[in-house]
Amino acid sequence: MATAHTATHSASANDHHDDHEHHDNFITKYIFTTDHKMIGKQFLVTGIFWAIIGGLLSIIFRLQLGFPDMELYWLKPILGGWIDDAGKLDPNFYLALVTMHGTIMVFFVLTAGLSGTFSNFLIPLQIGARDMASGFMNMLSYWFFFLSGVVMFISLFIETGPASGGWVVYPPLSALEQAMPGSGLGMTMWLVAMTFFIASSLLGGINYITTVINLRTKGMSFSRLPLTIWAFFLTAVIGLLSFPVLFSAALLLVFDRSFGTSFYLSDIYIGGEALPNTGGSPVLYQHLFWFLGHPEVYIVLLPALGITSEIISVNSRKPIFGYKAMIISMLGITILSFIVWAHHMFVSGMNPFLGSIFMFLTLIIAIPSAVKVFNYLTTLWRGNLIFTPGMLFSIGLVSFFISGGLTGIFLGNSAIDIQLHDTYFVVAHFHLVMGSASFFGLMAGVYHWFPKMFGRMMDARLGYIHFWLTFIGVYMVFFPMHYIGIAGFPRRYYSWTNFEFSNMYTDLNMFVSVAAIITFGAQLIFLFNFFYSMYRGRVASLNPWRANTLEWTTPLHPKHGNWPGEIPTVYRWPYDYSKPGAADDFIPQTVPLSATPESNLPHEQELVKLEKAIIADEEDVLVANVSKES
Amino acid sequence: MEEKFAYIENAEQPIAMHPKKFALWLFIVTVVMIFASLTSAYIVRQSEGNWLEFDLPSIFYYTSGIIVLSSIFLHWAYISAKKDDLSSLRIGMVITSFLGLAFLIGQWYSWIALVDRDVFFVGNPAGSFLYVFTGLHALHLVSGVIFLIIVLISSFKYKVHSKNLDTMEMCVTYWHFLGGLWLYLFMFLLLNH
Ligand code: HEM
Ligand SMILES: [Cu+2]
């Protein structure tokens, strides 16, 4: 079907696609589809599902933290035995909640839900391709993700509870069944689920990279790629290099758990009895995990930054400031992200000298990050800002990236990190810079590309309410955590009240919990808007934001194959907004330079001659094609 | 103006490659990363001491020879396919497949040799790592042998010839890679055990 399709149209140059009728039935259209647009939507809807689950889990543990005396009998219908007879949350289940919240949010929502959605949806549309390089692999990628989700979901309901050792699943806690209930079957299922997830990410990533490199339309050179595509491309490269390492780490963990090897285990006594394992090293696991773990945070963030670049430029009606600098800083981040992992391990007993090296490398990452922030701000500066919901969420992202990035610089100093490691300060840092920023990128993307996905507009007014509630809510939730963290309160603790140094923070915690519940509630507005607009929204125009990129040259409801006729050619970069001399404040990428002599810059005027020669050439080919057909 | 923007399908990109071949290379990158991380883990762990010393099974020399031979025969088969010399192609493919299986059997004997030395999968990580390296490599090699057999079958169905080499080329790339990977692992073990 579709795979055969791609194969045939590369073979014949005169294969027109006007007759792009696929007689799809329900199953091939919505379920086992190979159309990148539908796969993108599948990732999005699945991601939203997981975001709700992950959010609900966090509400439960926030209830425990904010209202330690609350009686939770009313949760018994869903949580069953995890609420004890006194109406208290089981401490083991608290750990399971934190672990599952982290795993779900980092991997299922902000990796699969974000990269999966937008890389799939936008790469072929923005580079001018009919579909991904391999529609079949793409389909597999989604279904592996789905399978991974099924396993993870079932693990929530088993008797011993899901994995509970934190999203980083450090051994020996995660390696020994005796350590905690969650380290039994739950942990096994976590590992199985993550194996499927890794397979899914790799299949997706291989496809994204192949597509970007091989299937760009005529004229779409790398220096004309939208920054979204650059971001998705580099994200896929990071994933390709780091997920296999997670696989190695998990594989050795599986051997330790189920076969009795000692890769990570050594000299452990349980109940006075020594375990047979000797010679293992738990720090080894940390090295392997964080070699994925740190790049992973950029896998989560880069697509959001790419989306933001595009949206901010469109809605400022200005070219993105420093296009090349943006690309170079993303490249810098890509490379640097692989050599800073040990900043998560400053207090793991690692050689302190090594710590200083990693501290130095870590602080260098602040430079490309700052370049990006600077470029966002200068793009906004004196632009004709149009505050669409997508734009607001993009600006929100920039705000979180700044406020959360600053605390990264504190944490990157190994001396300060000794105090702050594993406290709520770290929680505040990464929820702002990774969690909220990427989530806002995701939201911005949904608001912005909804018209292309579903042919309808989302309601802007609900979007504004959603934005402001979420934006303020996020700061209310995470800002106070800095203070709690500086006071020294460790993360992943079940209760605050029994410690002298932290029981005075009860009010602050209550405040945070209430803010979290309100923020979560605000997402219901989005959910309503999303599903309602899908069917009832105002029908969108072809290019509602008046943007330059190729996806807006497709029909309102592009079929499998995207363009009914031939794929358009690209003649310019995607950021010709408000070009002096031009009639309109935007010039789509498909408009040749020769058609806009009034706004061409001197060096572009030079290119016009070249372009005319090429167009003449093409005309010959086209004429030849047409005569061959008739 | 509109019609003028149209262009021929799938314009050649300056650095474009056959997408499936390209995807294969990317897959190879992921395999490289797995083994790179495992061998780095080996070094990190080894530097911490408490490391069992033992001699590597000498059968590794033979299996290394076998894998090199298999690559040579595969290359011969490939050149024959290019020249449309179908009988040499088939002979080459058959020999390569058998050598691939022989390699796997040899690796199995290396495990037996390890057990004879009292080096077990469960025990000091020095031994466990060895089992993981050889086992994981053998697993990939099984996939390589399956690929060889697929090409072998299509060579008997006249589907591999100078005009239809893509699948075979991918198979050749993958097989050479797996051979190279083994040589790397063997060298690594010789230098670091
Ligand atoms: C200026 C750049 C940044 C620096 C210097 C920095 C530094 C650090 C350091 C040193 C830690 C470890 C804290 C500890 O556990 O004691 C940390 C944690 C973390 N950072 Fe950053 N960071 C930066 C930006 C980012 C970005 C952009 C993201 C994500 C998009 C991110 C996500 C995280 C996450 C998820 C953790 C916590 C992981 C965990 O322990 O569960 N950071 N950061
Ligand atoms: Cu990090």
Side-chain angles (χ1 to χ4, degrees):
Chain A
M1 228 203 52
T3 32
H5 213 97
T6 19
T8 48
H9 66 53
S10 57
S12 60
N14 53 359
D15 173 17
H16 270 279
H17 282 261
D18 312 58
D19 51 348
H20 220 76
E21 288 300 308
H22 282 274
H23 295 285
D24 286 328
N25 55 30
F26 181 81
I27 295 202
T28 56
K29 178 145 188 228
Y30 294 106
I31 301 182
F32 294 108
T33 173
T34 52
D35 181 355
H36 70 98
K37 296 184 292 299
M38 186 53 73
I39 294 177
K41 290 179 210 168
Q42 288 176 327
F43 270 107
L44 179 59
V45 172
T46 318
I48 290 177
F49 167 80
W50 279 111
I52 298 170
I53 302 278
L56 283 175
L57 298 180
S58 73
I59 297 298
I60 301 175
F61 64 69
R62 265 331 305 184
L63 281 179
Q64 161 63 27
L65 292 173
F67 309 94
D69 300 324
M70 190 172 183
E71 298 202 334
L72 298 172
Y73 286 120
W74 53 276
L75 278 173
K76 239 182 163 26
I78 4 175
L79 296 186
W82 296 115
I83 305 285
D84 69 13
D85 295 335
K88 293 257 143 249
L89 190 70
D90 186 294
N92 277 314
F93 194 63
Y94 175 85
L95 296 175
L97 286 171
V98 195
T99 304
M100 282 295 120
H101 168 75
T103 307
I104 289 171
M105 289 305 196
V106 171
F107 292 111
F108 289 3
V109 180
L110 293 178
T111 304
L114 181 63
S115 265
T117 303
F118 290 103
S119 299
N120 271 312
F121 189 78
L122 288 180
I123 288 178
L125 283 174
Q126 288 197 333
I127 66 171
R130 297 264 177 229
D131 202 328
M132 284 286 175
S134 166
F136 177 72
M137 265 168 67
N138 215 14
M139 179 182 88
L140 275 188
S141 160
Y142 175 75
W143 286 103
F144 272 120
F145 168 50
F146 187 83
L147 206 62
S148 161
V150 169
V151 175
M152 199 66 93
F153 192 72
I154 293 173
S155 86
L156 289 171
F157 298 99
I158 60 180
E159 196 178 346
T160 46
S164 315
W167 76 281
V168 298
V169 297
Y170 283 171
L173 189 56
S174 62
L176 299 172
E177 279 201 31
Q178 310 90 311
M180 63 201 305
S183 293
L185 182 61
M187 189 59 217
T188 307
M189 293 178 78
W190 191 94
L191 287 165
V192 172
M194 286 313 293
T195 309
F196 285 127
F197 186 83
I198 293 169
S200 156
S201 299
L202 291 177
L203 283 169
I206 288 179
N207 236 330
Y208 307 151
I209 298 174
T210 311
T211 310
V212 171
I213 290 194
N214 293 296
L215 300 181
R216 280 165 292 124
T217 184
K218 179 100 205 298
M220 183 61 92
S221 61
F222 270 89
S223 57
R224 286 178 181 166
L225 279 184
L227 287 172
T228 38
I229 303 298
W230 269 103
F232 301 149
F233 175 70
L234 292 173
T235 305
V237 171
I238 299 180
L240 198 73
L241 296 175
S242 63
F243 271 112
V245 180
L246 179 64
F247 176 79
S248 302
L251 186 72
L252 299 186
L253 187 55
V254 168
F255 288 144
D256 273 8
R257 286 171 51 79
S258 309
F259 296 84
T261 54
S262 317
F263 290 107
Y264 304 135
L265 299 174
S266 190
D267 308 321
I268 293 174
Y269 289 79
I270 291 189
E273 296 274 322
L275 292 184
N277 310 72
T278 53
S281 156
V283 177
L284 179 61
Y285 175 85
Q286 297 196 17
H287 278 298
L288 287 174
F289 179 84
W290 286 113
F291 190 86
L292 158 95
H294 185 81
E296 169 64 25
V297 305
Y298 282 98
I299 292 177
V300 163
L301 188 68
L302 274 184
L305 291 178
I307 289 171
T308 302
S309 308
E310 176 68 24
I311 296 178
I312 285 192
S313 174
V314 172
N315 290 301
S316 305
R317 313 309 293 167
K318 268 178 70 181
I320 189 84
F321 186 90
Y323 174 79
K324 290 246 163 67
M326 286 299 224
I327 295 172
I328 292 169
S329 52
M330 282 197 279
L331 278 169
I333 287 175
T334 303
I335 296 164
L336 287 172
S337 71
F338 283 102
I339 48 174
V340 299
W341 75 89
H343 64 215
H344 297 273
M345 303 163 55
F346 285 142
V347 295
S348 68
M350 186 180 67
N351 183 337
F353 176 69
L354 208 59
S356 338
I357 295 176
F358 276 104
M359 172 174 121
F360 176 70
L361 293 170
T362 298
L363 294 181
I364 295 180
I365 274 213
I367 298 169
S369 310
V371 169
K372 292 196 74 82
V373 168
F374 179 78
N375 287 352
Y376 290 133
L377 296 180
T378 35
T379 306
L380 289 167
W381 181 251
R382 298 195 155 188
N384 294 322
L385 304 190
I386 304 172
F387 291 105
T388 63
M391 176 71 160
L392 287 175
F393 275 96
S394 300
I395 297 173
L397 179 152
V398 176
S399 161
F400 294 141
F401 190 48
I402 298 173
S403 54
L406 283 177
T407 51
I409 299 175
F410 291 72
L411 293 170
N413 286 282
S414 51
I416 304 179
D417 190 56
I418 293 172
Q419 159 77 6
L420 294 176
H421 176 66
D422 256 351
T423 65
Y424 269 77
F425 193 85
V426 178
V427 177
H429 159 66
F430 73 76
H431 275 92
L432 284 176
V433 75
M434 175 173 86
S436 306
S438 302
F439 179 72
F440 269 47
L442 175 68
M443 283 299 135
V446 172
Y447 278 105
H448 192 78
W449 279 289
F450 192 89
K452 195 71 257 161
M453 288 183 178
F454 300 102
R456 291 171 187 274
M457 307 295 285
M458 285 178 82
D459 187 83
R461 214 158 323 147
L462 288 178
Y464 296 138
I465 301 174
H466 175 216
F467 168 77
W468 284 110
L469 284 176
T470 314
F471 183 71
I472 297 170
V474 162
Y475 272 121
M476 294 290 156
V477 173
F478 296 115
F479 213 81
M481 289 188 187
H482 291 108
Y483 301 107
I484 303 173
I486 293 171
F489 198 82
R491 59 197 280 209
R492 303 191 179 119
Y493 270 35
Y494 172 70
S495 155
W496 314 74
T497 37
N498 347 4
F499 301 100
E500 268 316 306
F501 73 96
S502 62
N503 55 14
M504 65 282 220
Y505 287 110
T506 321
D507 288 348
L508 202 53
N509 268 305
M510 211 183 299
F511 175 80
V512 167
S513 292
V514 171
I517 291 168
I518 294 174
T519 314
F520 182 80
Q523 307 315 306
L524 300 179
I525 302 174
F526 167 78
L527 282 180
F528 169 77
N529 196 353
F530 183 81
F531 288 106
Y532 182 83
S533 308
M534 210 189 267
Y535 298 102
R536 295 283 163 77
R538 187 160 54 78
V539 173
S541 58
L542 278 182
N543 189 357
W545 318 118
R546 304 194 303 140
N548 288 341
T549 38
L550 281 184
E551 74 271 29
W552 305 108
T553 62
T554 58
L556 193 57
H557 292 284
K559 293 256 159 39
H560 195 173
N562 297 341
W563 284 270
E566 312 201 28
I567 301 179
T569 304
V570 163
Y571 296 96
R572 56 177 78 233
W573 77 329
Y575 297 107
D576 270 342
Y577 292 106
S578 305
K579 205 172 180 187
D584 264 331
D585 68 350
F586 70 114
I587 312 176
Q589 285 189 280
T590 49
V591 176
L593 292 169
S594 51
T596 56
E598 68 284 358
S599 65
N600 286 349
L601 301 170
H603 74 274
E604 289 169 336
Q605 205 56 43
E606 288 297 305
L607 291 174
V608 167
K609 291 182 204 120
L610 202 72
E611 191 183 283
K612 277 193 175 138
I614 296 174
I615 291 181
D617 256 13
E618 276 165 23
E619 224 132 73
D620 292 345
V621 179
L622 286 177
V623 170
N625 285 348
V626 170
S627 56
K628 241 187 286 172
E629 262 165 32
S630 50
Chain B
M1 242 11 242
E2 276 301 322
E3 307 83 78
K4 275 198 190 155
F5 314 145
Y7 191 67
I8 335 166
E9 284 300 313
N10 285 16
E12 279 291 310
Q13 288 297 333
I15 51 167
M17 214 176 148
H18 187 288
K20 286 211 176 105
K21 283 185 196 161
F22 191 81
L24 175 70
W25 278 106
L26 294 178
F27 175 71
I28 287 177
V29 170
T30 66
V31 180
V32 166
M33 285 311 295
I34 291 181
F35 283 93
S37 59
L38 286 172
T39 45
S40 320
Y42 181 99
I43 295 175
V44 169
R45 171 60 196 80
Q46 189 184 31
S47 66
E48 288 180 13
N50 183 9
W51 190 254
L52 185 69
E53 300 287 343
F54 56 89
D55 290 329
L56 290 176
S58 52
I59 195 164
F60 282 162
Y61 288 100
Y62 300 106
T63 51
S64 304
I66 293 176
I67 203 87
V68 172
L69 264 185
S70 76
S71 268
I72 295 173
F73 274 105
L74 185 61
H75 209 73
W76 177 61
Y78 171 60
I79 293 170
S80 313
K82 257 191 183 161
K83 292 192 210 138
D84 283 327
D85 179 354
L86 293 192
S87 56
S88 309
L89 161 67
R90 287 169 192 162
I91 298 173
M93 288 308 300
V94 171
I95 297 178
T96 313
S97 309
F98 273 108
L99 288 174
L101 289 174
F103 175 84
L104 284 173
I105 295 168
Q107 296 297 78
W108 176 254
Y109 275 98
S110 78
W111 283 10
I112 295 179
L114 282 174
V115 171
D116 284 345
R117 284 179 175 72
D118 279 344
V119 176
F120 301 104
F121 180 45
V122 175
N124 189 286
S128 314
F129 266 117
L130 194 56
Y131 281 94
V132 172
F133 291 166
T134 48
L136 207 57
H137 177 261
L139 209 64
H140 283 92
L141 210 95
V142 170
S143 71
V145 171
I146 293 174
F147 202 171
L148 282 177
I149 292 175
I150 291 173
V151 175
L152 174 70
I153 292 173
S154 38
S155 77
F156 275 94
K157 288 187 182 159
Y158 301 97
K159 280 193 194 141
V160 184
H161 48 76
S162 60
K163 299 252 163 51
N164 194 4
L165 278 175
D166 286 345
T167 317
M168 170 132 197
E169 274 169 359
M170 286 167 67
C171 180
V172 171
T173 309
Y174 189 47
W175 191 257
H176 288 335
F177 162 70
L178 290 177
L181 180 61
W182 170 250
L183 294 183
Y184 160 71
L185 287 175
F186 187 38
M187 290 293 177
F188 175 85
L189 288 168
L190 282 177
L191 295 174
N192 294 300
H193 81 280

